[in-house]
Amino acid sequence: MDQDGADRAKKAKDGFSHDVPLSGGGEDGKPLTNGVKSIPQLDGIADMPAHNAAPRTASMNGTSSSAPGQVSIPDSLVETWNQLPPELQHFEESYLPLSTLIERVAQQCYNGLEDTIQKMTERPRDEAQNSPVPMVNGAGHHNATNGGIPLSKEDLRKRTLLMTFARDQRDKLIKLMVLTQWSRQVGDVTKLIDIWNWLSNQMRIHEDAATWVGQVKLNMLSMKQSNPDIKTALQVLSSGKAEWMPDLNYLPPKPLSAEQLLKTLRNLNALLAIRLNLHEEQPNHFKYSHIANGRATWVIPGEFEVDLSILEEDPESQFFFIDIRLLFSPAPEIPDIFRSRLELRVNDALRTRGLNGCYDTLHDLILTHKITTFKEQANELARRRWSENIRIIGIHRNLIIQYWTESPGPKNWIELGIMSGRKEPGKPGWRDRPIPHIGIRWFRDGNEVKDIDLMRAVDLKELSMERILETVVKLHTLDLLRHVQNGLDPKDGGTPPLLGEVVRPKTPSDLPTYKTQLGATGTTFTLAVEPVTGNLAIQPVSSLSSRIQQEINQLKNRPSEAAHRVRSLLFSDLQNRVEKLAERRGWNIIRLNLAREAVKATFKQDVGRLIVFRPPGWSQEWVIATTITFSAEAWWVVNLDEAANGRAIREASCVFEPSQLPLKRDSLAHVERFAAATISFLTTRREFKLQKIESFIKTEPSPHTATFAAPRLVLHVLGFNLLGKKIGRGSSTTSWLRLTHVGLERSAGRAVHLIRGTIYPPLNKQLAALLTHTHDDDVAFHKGGNFSVLLRTPFARPFVDPLRKRIMSIDRLRTIAAVLESRGFPCNKMSLNSVTFTYGPDPDPTKPSAPSPNQSSTTAITTNQAAKTPPPVPPLTATVTFTNGDVDLHLASTNPHRRVRHFLVRLLTRPAPPLSGFERFVDALILSLPLLRAFEAIEQRYDKVSDGNGGTMEIQPPFIHAWALDTYRVDYKRPAVTFEVTLRTRRDGVRWFVSEVTAPSTEAVEGKLREALKALYDVRLSQRRGAPGIGEEKSEPWGQDGPGSDDNVWWGLRTGIVATVVGIEDAILKLDDVVRGSISTESDTATAATTTTATVTAGSKGPGGAAPPAPMVSMSKPQPGKPGLGAKQGAVGAGTGVGTAAVKIKQEKKNDVIELD
């Protein structure tokens, strides 16, 4: 029994006191398990006995103790304890209190809560601007669930952080709870741990014992001695050699001579030829090339040349390796030590497997060396040019090179390895022995490329990993650029861009590029891929191209998404160019927020960019739109919807299709002009349709050559429909009118149009010659009858009414010119707004005039009265103006017609078909000119006569009242007598009738005046040129119809005077002479009466023997094609002439106030 057992027995005999635990035995008073200190429970909750229950006894090696107090143990039990083994070692240094774990978990929970609260208070930058403003006291967050206001991203983030923290801490606390429950059974577990440790130590002791025994046996080998070879020793000592021992050739043989050497080589050549041709079965892939110098040479192109020879004549003997030469570059220098090892391996292969073994050994060696060479070259590239852009992975005899490592998206790599050479069943040669070879596989964007055979592009005679990489990169670049090209091709069948092609490299140093241009105006961009980094480069460099280039290089799927970015680059570049040109032109850019679907529905195509401009001077509802598509830019005229505040498109019309000519600043002027013409013509043509006026729009090529193909828009309008059936069918103006747009007056907001037409025969030549000298800058007439008129109208408004007025003014101008031509009136100035002409000139004073039939050769007017005859009147000028539908007449202050100007204006504004207003106006001038000239003459007379008292008195001129153009009154104050002058129709002509309205007021004057008037009224037409006496019967030499209107005659009707149009001037002057002569004194009465009688018998001669002036145009008979004064027309027409109109005017003005100029 050991000392420990004696001590335990002694303690057992002595018993235990109350202060020593039942399971005690340790020095520190802690209970022991199997004689070892037990592990106390750490901060755990031990299983406590129930209340008032008996205390549990402590278990010690299967025994239990009694209640507290001293207990006696039997001696047999003590002896049993002494025979027990020693206590197991107890390991409690590695145990930690449970309280420490709880403290650490609590501290981590607290720290995690602080971090979570700190993260919840932080706001991400990208959400700081978009997050809604929180409500006061968080009122807005309670409605975020249960159908309330949705939670913001910030609230969701905070809740996520809080829930994540709670979940993590819950997991930790669950683990802590499990450990706490496990600590309640810690006593049993510690015992199990102690037993496991003891068993582990015992197993290690057994293993160490076996190891020690073996080591001892190994150490004894050096102490052992081998048995001596007595037999060999006796043979060597006796004979000096042993037969079974090999000859080590320590003594070299004698060298061969040249003849022996040549003979030996020839023998070897013959033996090799016989063996190889007759006995040796050579594989198909390994046949000799030639035999020379005692060796046979086998050549494998691109790999090696090997020389083999034989040492024996036996056909079954083996070949031996002589030399090898490598047939590729770079070929390494084979060191001697490697050559010796290679010789051994090749000879061993020849011995075991023959020529096939030699080929396999050398072929595998060469393939392995080539893979190694590729790997070394790849490593060299990775250290220099391709640094950080390739990744090299070597797996056995396979080499994987990943290129463009910094490029996002799927990986790209090539694999170089040795392939087995097996062919699929059914293919040619699939039964033959497979021959390994170097193979290359290319993986592009993570997928193997099987449609390209890289072995054709790789030269295995000139090993260059850089060339292989460049070849693969070029193929990858071509594929990427083709994807871009295919993505830029229009999907709707439209016209492709002007330039878009992939340029293949012509030299090994060139790189594939893709050149593309949108339309003729866009920039030509060149796309290339940097071979080392794989980044796409765009030339020329700009801020826009740099941004697009960066976006493309950050894409993960460049082949499918790069085309979209390049298309955006082309669209944006063309948009910037168009906007810059528009800004230089002065156009304003309009921003419209339109949906893509609405734009596509409006323009009937997929629009990449939409630019809206409003040129200066345009209205708010019309703009110019530029659509940029795959077919380049197209120009549209767009009508905005005013109901949507100009934010919606009502209609759009294309004005210019995509052109193959570059767009310049001058081109926008053509676009603006064509667009303005389109707007004006479209709006006007709608009005034409409403009024059922036939018209159509036609596009014609521009007569001016320019860099921009700018056609000309022409609006054709049927003139008959425009003027109306009644006016148009009787008009000689052109049937079809051509309207072209000239330009736009931006300051006034008016569009200028050019109207072209033709005046058809029979008046085209005469009117063209007459109207060529018009003084209107907006009107031009040509000799062939063509005319051009400028029309200015408000932009974007229908100009049907202004056009109709302008064409009517042309027709009116034609009518005026025809009337003036037919009347012989020279035109001084003519335009669409005014006409100035000359009428009623006096004849040449030097030209003698024939005497009138009424003039007597024996009587004459007194010298005093002859001197008072008015001088010849110069030609008169009249100006008719047409302004805004109003007609006005401008006369000089000396013009006799100024007293009837308002009647003449009324004639101009009131046409009476078939005569126009101007034609009636001209006829009225002709008919009234002699009468009004006579009125001017008698108003300017201021005669002085004797008053009978030795003095003189001045005779006042009469008052002349114009009731109408054909009715006048002449009122004399002294004597008080009134005459009425009217124009009437008589025998297919017109005559002026002068009748007395009131008699003189005094008897003295009445008698004298009555006699003079009676003598004047009794004047008759004479058949001869001599002047007959008063009261004689005369016959009329002018026939039954009497004298014409251009004859200067007048005669009496016993109660008045009748005169022709020309003769009325002389008649009025004679009448004035009679009235003035009746107011002389009584002493002069006889003389005045005699003078008056003599004057009356003078016939048609005027005072002083001079005939009154005659009109320029004879109006007695109507001329063909010209309006005349026929019998059926009355004064100037059939019942609707000046006479009838004058009577009507007189009746209308009877109760009105008479106007006097």
Side-chain angles (χ1 to χ4, degrees), residues 766 853 974:
Q766 295 85 353
R974 186 173 181 182

Side-chain angles (χ1 to χ4, degrees), residues 4 11 71 227 250 367 403 425 434 611 788 791 805 1006 1076:
D4 293 338
K11 291 179 180 179
V71 180
N227 296 326
Y250 289 114
L367 295 182
Y403 61 95
I611 320 170
S788 302
L791 179 64
K805 292 180 180 179
E1006 181 180 2
R1076 289 175 183 270

